[in-house]
Amino acid sequence: MRLSFCSPGALAEFLDPQQQVVVGVGRTARLHCRFSSSGPVASCWIHDREKVVLEGPRVCVTNTCSSSTLVLSDVLPVDVGSYSLFVCNRGGTAHWTISLRVIDRPDPPASCPFVSQLTPTSLVLSWSGPCYNAAGVSDPSKESDCIKMNTAGEPQWEVTSYVEVVPDTTHKARDHYHVHEKLGVGKFGEVYRMSHKQTGWVCAGKFYRARVSREKTAARQEIKLMKQLHHPKLVQCLAAYDTPSEIVMILEYIAGGELFERIVDENFEHTEPNSVNYMRQILEGIQYIHSKRIVHLDLKPENIVCVNSAGTLIKIIDFGLASKLEAGKHLMVLHGTPEFVAPEVVNYEPVDLATDMWSIGVICYILLSGESPFQGNSDAETLALVTAAQWEFNPESFDGITDEAKDFISGLLREDKRTRLSCEKALAHPWIALFDDSNSRSTKSLNKDKMRRFLARQKWKKTGKALLALKRMVHCSKSDALHSPSISVDANALGKEAEQAVASLEKQLWSEPRFHRALHDLTESCGATVHLACTIQGYPDPEVVWLFDEAPLEKTRRVQMNYDKNGICTLTLAQVQPGDSGIYKCCASNSLGQARCSARLTVQL
Ligand code: ATP
Ligand code: MG
């Protein structure tokens, strides 16, 4: 009788693993993962989902059957990123990712300081370069030109009147603008600081990646939509270029950077009243687009930016996913960022204005607590928490936050979109409408550490490409929705070399059968129950046959055979008789070979 166990075995399970390791340049980073797994294991580390981490002068990997440790000595800035440990056992391959943050003294600012919003009495001085960094002070940037403030009569920079934008189809953006440093990279292209050649006006240019017609349509759609939006809380479109070689949208330049980055700055006061002020501005901007039946569909902290680095005014940017709702038509979308999308997006159900209100609720939750309400260990887990609309106020993180604030968030994070607060209702909510700086009981400073961690994680995610697979807007009928793929995540996408390394892990498990613990000779009295046991290792899992005096044994009421997933093989003989005396053999075989071991049983009268 051939024995094999059919249980495929369980995936390795990571035990209380590290999530992030922070290390200074030149120091040693120790990335350690413990896991529980049965049977043979093979593992490898992959850097940034691309590069297989190999042993070298600076790299040491130590593997055991229940852990793996990667030690990187003399850490360099390029070592930063995600390190994924892939562990393969007979149940399949599991992985865990640790992010390594390397702290270095910042580089000097990328450009010299430049001036915008020049008026006779004020100017905004901006520069781009590395942001907050704990490890030291950079060298200074290059000096700016000398600026004189007696510029009465010159045009002011703030957009006060709105012009009708007609895309220029005969010129390129560079014909009219100098292109300076890169301000950001997004899903649809790159954004640069620009200055108008004739007037010197500073603005931002979004250069779309518009190679194929689908990308061109998407770019034109964003420009068409932006042209209609004129509100002080929304970034303004000032011009557009649409030629066969490029599509560029010129936007007012917003100098203050992302709101959350600003909040974590040491010199910045982060309180609940300040948060009300930001939320009110977000609501005002969104109320305006909602009045035009436009949904933003990508509201998240990085799309809320500060007008300048001195005040508390913000604007909403990035209308790349925005869409106009049309009466009588359902709009279903397959895009967004897992932590911020509403359940109806994940479920591929029709979205509406209330879909933005959910995201506003998530932003407010993070603003007050630094914690992301639906953050799971993977995008798939995050999406599952969103669809279950499963969230709560962590008492420790919301300690000292007013009940009005919690009630406001509760009014937005409702699974049923019909019951969520609208912009009007949110603006009229006591937390927004009645809160002001004189409300002394909650002017306590909010803790910024959690928000710093949130920002670090967002950055890492952006570089780790763990973004929701993005598809452009799809307008479709209900029946289409049934056939459409569910929202998908490309967090597991690996580079070619990494994919091969992970695929070859299973081969490393391969080994011919071997007896880890052999059978022993036994002498027993007549009538006793005898256990003959041995442990077999090998992969693919060996098949086992028991022989008694060279003849295969069959299972009967008296003769039982067991083979468990840990490779333990037991032959149990009940009520042994003198006739059971003899040589028992256990034979194990797989595609790579076979092994046997034997023992003599003597039954005494
Ligand atoms: P994503 O959806 O991936 O965020 P996107 O392609 O839609 O990206 P935007 O969000 O519009 O692009 O821009 C990318 C980045 O460029 C922003 O996060 C911001 O840092 C910067 N940026 C965009 N517009 C402006 C602007 N008007 N002024 C200053 N910086 C800007
Ligand atoms: Mg953006």
Side-chain angles (χ1 to χ4, degrees):
M1 178 177 174
R2 287 176 175 279
L3 296 175
S4 50
F5 56 85
C6 44
S7 144
L11 284 175
E13 210 175 297
F14 295 97
L15 307 170
D16 193 20
Q18 293 170 314
Q19 304 212 350
Q20 196 192 41
V21 171
V22 181
V23 68
V25 165
R27 297 299 185 84
T28 299
R30 189 170 172 277
L31 279 59
H32 179 65
C33 252
R34 281 192 313 123
F35 48 83
S36 70
S37 167
S38 64
V41 288
S43 59
C44 69
W45 288 89
I46 305 283
H47 184 195
D48 282 345
R49 305 203 156 264
E50 296 270 347
K51 240 178 85 203
V52 183
V53 181
L54 299 171
E55 293 258 355
R58 293 197 304 117
V59 182
C60 173
V61 179
T62 314
N63 292 324
T64 73
C65 58
S66 61
S67 73
S68 182
T69 310
L70 166 64
V71 176
L72 283 172
S73 36
D74 293 329
V75 165
L76 301 170
V78 292
D79 293 332
V80 74
S82 68
Y83 287 81
S84 306
L85 175 68
F86 285 80
V87 179
C88 177
N89 66 7
R90 60 161 67 91
T93 305
H95 68 277
W96 181 263
T97 300
I98 302 175
S99 85
L100 177 67
R101 221 179 109 201
V102 178
I103 304 180
D104 193 8
R105 185 174 167 238
D107 289 335
S111 66
C112 64
F114 57 89
V115 170
S116 58
Q117 301 186 29
L118 188 60
T119 77
T121 54
S122 70
L123 58 76
V124 171
L125 194 61
S126 326
W127 58 92
S128 45
C131 48
Y132 165 82
N133 196 331
V137 178
S138 77
D139 287 335
S141 70
K142 282 189 234 132
E143 270 175 36
S144 72
D145 294 338
C146 182
I147 305 289
K148 289 205 185 105
M149 300 285 287
N150 56 352
T151 51
E154 290 215 350
Q156 296 212 349
W157 179 238
E158 179 67 19
V159 178
T160 47
S161 58
Y162 300 116
V163 284
E164 167 73 9
V165 171
V166 180
D168 186 333
T169 53
T170 52
H171 295 93
K172 294 179 107 186
R174 280 183 178 76
D175 294 340
H176 299 150
Y177 293 87
H178 294 296
V179 178
H180 306 286
E181 78 279 358
K182 199 187 282 181
L183 297 170
V185 188
K187 290 186 285 275
F188 306 127
E190 294 177 333
V191 180
Y192 289 86
R193 185 174 67 87
M194 322 256 278
S195 57
H196 193 263
K197 284 185 177 170
Q198 278 175 356
T199 63
W201 277 18
V202 177
C203 55
K206 187 164 179 173
F207 286 73
Y208 291 90
R209 200 181 308 114
R211 287 163 306 204
V212 293
S213 72
R214 183 174 41 83
E215 289 172 342
K216 288 195 168 127
T217 312
R220 287 184 187 128
Q221 168 124 13
E222 183 173 357
I223 293 171
K224 187 170 153 221
L225 207 112
M226 286 298 292
K227 287 188 340 184
Q228 315 164 28
L229 302 181
H230 301 308
H231 190 275
K233 296 295 155 211
L234 310 180
V235 65
Q236 294 302 295
C237 166
L238 306 174
Y241 293 83
D242 187 342
T243 60
S245 62
E246 66 172 24
I247 300 184
V248 182
M249 174 161 60
I250 307 292
L251 296 160
E252 68 176 305
Y253 173 62
I254 307 183
E258 285 176 26
L259 170 64
F260 278 24
E261 294 280 3
R262 187 79 212 288
I263 289 177
V264 298
D265 192 284
E266 261 147 51
N267 302 320
F268 189 81
E269 190 190 43
H270 183 31
T271 61
E272 200 176 310
N274 277 349
S275 306
V276 170
N277 177 28
Y278 295 129
M279 291 313 299
R280 189 184 297 121
Q281 295 179 66
I282 295 171
L283 288 167
E284 283 167 3
I286 295 303
Q287 182 183 34
Y288 169 82
I289 69 164
H290 282 187
S291 72
K292 295 181 167 271
R293 309 262 329 139
I294 291 170
V295 252
H296 186 283
L297 295 175
D298 200 18
L299 286 173
K300 55 183 172 181
E302 71 184 66
N303 289 335
I304 314 291
V305 291
C306 295
V307 171
N308 55 45
S309 49
T312 51
L313 296 179
I314 56 113
K315 284 190 196 249
I316 300 164
I317 59 164
D318 193 355
F319 287 74
L321 300 181
S323 192
K324 192 159 182 130
L325 296 175
E326 285 174 40
K329 266 195 190 168
H330 283 308
L331 172 65
M332 261 83 78
V333 294
L334 273 169
H335 49 230
T337 308
E339 276 172 87
F340 302 97
V341 289
E344 60 270 20
V345 175
V346 186
N347 293 334
Y348 202 63
E349 289 162 5
V351 296
D352 69 20
L353 304 178
T355 305
D356 282 341
M357 302 314 290
W358 173 281
S359 310
I360 293 175
V362 180
I363 293 171
C364 186
Y365 187 109
I366 303 171
L367 188 60
L368 294 175
S369 69
E371 269 176 16
S372 186
F374 300 101
Q375 172 69 48
N377 285 324
S378 62
D379 280 350
E381 210 177 295
T382 303
L383 294 172
L385 291 172
V386 171
T387 44
Q390 222 176 58
W391 65 276
E392 57 185 13
F393 292 115
N394 174 355
E396 183 226 329
S397 306
F398 279 87
D399 181 35
I401 300 293
T402 59
D403 288 339
E404 288 97 324
K406 292 188 210 164
D407 186 72
F408 176 77
I409 294 172
S410 307
L412 296 168
L413 294 182
R414 295 209 175 132
E415 185 179 7
D416 182 350
K417 60 180 188 288
R418 292 166 305 184
T419 64
R420 284 174 216 153
L421 295 175
S422 63
C423 269
E424 285 71 28
K425 290 215 171 109
L427 280 164
H429 187 279
W431 189 59
I432 299 285
L434 305 179
F435 214 113
D436 60 44
D437 294 352
S438 60
N439 188 336
S440 60
R441 72 194 154 112
S442 55
T443 46
K444 130 174 190 222
S445 285
L446 304 182
N447 185 341
K448 296 179 181 177
D449 287 343
K450 283 191 175 159
M451 193 178 279
R452 284 198 183 102
R453 266 177 268 157
F454 168 81
L455 285 170
R457 213 177 44 234
Q458 297 301 108
K459 281 220 174 94
W460 168 70
K461 274 195 191 165
K462 263 207 142 166
T463 48
K465 299 189 189 72
L467 292 170
L468 195 66
L470 179 114
K471 304 227 171 81
R472 285 303 293 184
M473 218 164 302
V474 272
H475 291 265
C476 50
S477 66
K478 247 205 148 109
S479 63
D480 282 341
L482 294 175
H483 302 295
S484 77
S486 61
I487 212 147
S488 62
V489 168
D490 73 352
N492 293 331
L494 292 177
K496 205 158 178 217
E497 178 196 326
E499 201 173 294
Q500 281 170 356
V502 172
S504 71
L505 284 179
E506 207 215 340
K507 285 234 172 72
Q508 292 176 32
L509 301 181
W510 283 22
S511 65
E512 55 182 4
R514 205 163 51 84
F515 283 94
H516 189 60
R517 191 161 59 95
L519 296 171
H520 291 292
D521 289 352
L522 277 177
T523 303
E524 287 288 348
S525 321
C526 196
T529 297
V530 172
H531 300 283
L532 289 161
C534 55
T535 311
I536 298 164
Q537 283 183 342
Y539 189 84
D541 295 317
E543 277 189 344
V544 168
V545 176
W546 286 92
L547 303 177
F548 172 49
D549 286 346
E550 298 302 333
L553 267 174
E554 289 301 322
K555 210 169 171 176
T556 66
R557 207 168 42 78
R558 218 169 56 79
V559 180
Q560 295 291 324
M561 291 165 245
N562 239 319
Y563 181 18
D564 76 10
K565 67 176 179 10
N566 296 317
I568 301 174
C569 263
T570 325
L571 173 68
T572 307
L573 304 167
Q575 304 226 305
V576 288
Q577 302 299 321
D580 291 325
S581 297
I583 304 285
Y584 288 83
K585 265 190 195 156
C586 180
C587 308
S589 59
N590 67 12
S591 52
L592 301 173
Q594 48 178 295
R596 14 179 89 206
C597 74
S598 60
R600 175 181 294 279
L601 173 67
T602 312
V603 181
Q604 291 176 331
L605 268 178

